[in-house]
């Protein structure tokens, strides 16, 4: 997927991409750099189209990718950014639960 393709994504396709990438990040840690770049592009696109759910979930995915790379500091920063957007936009409880699940994984690893 190119940055141009990402720039054309809407909310539904962002959600689908995040779900697929989340599954891929749990099963295959070999493409971390490529996935990290794509997730960062998804974050920027989600901000551009005012889609806070995409931003929150992308930061959580970025944290998982950074955990796969054994970069605890970047994983923590991504989790904090996710938490910041959650509180700023007052998203539903299920988004907090997903964040806390990701935080549990982080704290177990680090």
């Amino acid at each position: 997927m190119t940055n141009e393709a990402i720039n054309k994504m809407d909310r539904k396709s962002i959600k689908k991409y995040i779900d697929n990438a989340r599954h891929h990040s749990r099963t295959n840690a070999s493409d971390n750099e490529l996935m990290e770049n794509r997730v960062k592009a998804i974050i920027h696109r989600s901000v551009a189209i005012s889609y806070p759910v995409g931003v929150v979930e992308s930061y959580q995915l970025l944290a998982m990718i950074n955990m796969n790379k054994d970069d605890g500091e970047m994983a923590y920063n991504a989790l904090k950014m996710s938490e910041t957007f959650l509180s700023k936009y007052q998203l539903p409880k299920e988004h907090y639960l997903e964040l806390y699940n990701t935080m549990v994984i982080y704290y177990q690893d680090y």
Side-chain angles (χ1 to χ4, degrees):
M1 178 175 295
T2 65
N3 282 343
E4 184 177 309
I6 290 172
N7 288 335
K8 295 179 181 179
M9 294 176 90
D10 61 358
R11 290 175 180 216
K12 185 176 180 181
S13 55
I14 287 173
K15 178 68 174 154
K16 183 178 177 182
Y17 178 82
I18 292 169
D19 290 343
N20 288 337
R22 183 177 288 135
H23 174 72
H24 181 74
S25 73
R26 291 177 182 153
T27 59
N28 185 5
S30 64
D31 298 333
N32 284 327
E33 290 297 323
L34 179 62
M35 282 190 64
E36 181 178 6
N37 291 333
R38 288 183 180 163
V39 169
K40 287 179 180 178
I42 293 291
I43 291 169
H44 292 296
R45 179 63 183 158
S46 296
V47 169
I49 65 170
S50 299
Y51 183 44
V53 170
V55 175
V56 166
E57 291 183 2
S58 294
Y59 272 120
Q60 292 170 22
L61 178 56
L62 186 60
M64 294 296 292
I65 291 168
N66 284 311
M67 282 185 262
N68 286 341
K69 291 172 36 179
D70 290 326
D71 190 345
E73 184 177 346
M74 291 302 290
Y76 179 78
N77 290 339
L79 288 170
K80 293 306 286 180
M81 288 300 295
S82 180
E83 185 176 38
T84 298
F85 272 86
L86 269 170
S87 62
K88 180 177 180 180
Y89 290 100
Q90 298 295 310
L91 297 178
K93 287 181 184 179
E94 62 265 10
H95 299 291
Y96 285 95
L97 294 174
E98 186 65 33
L99 173 63
Y100 294 137
N101 287 338
T102 308
M103 284 182 166
V104 166
I105 293 168
Y106 170 81
Y107 285 115
Q108 285 176 339
D109 288 350
Y110 297 97

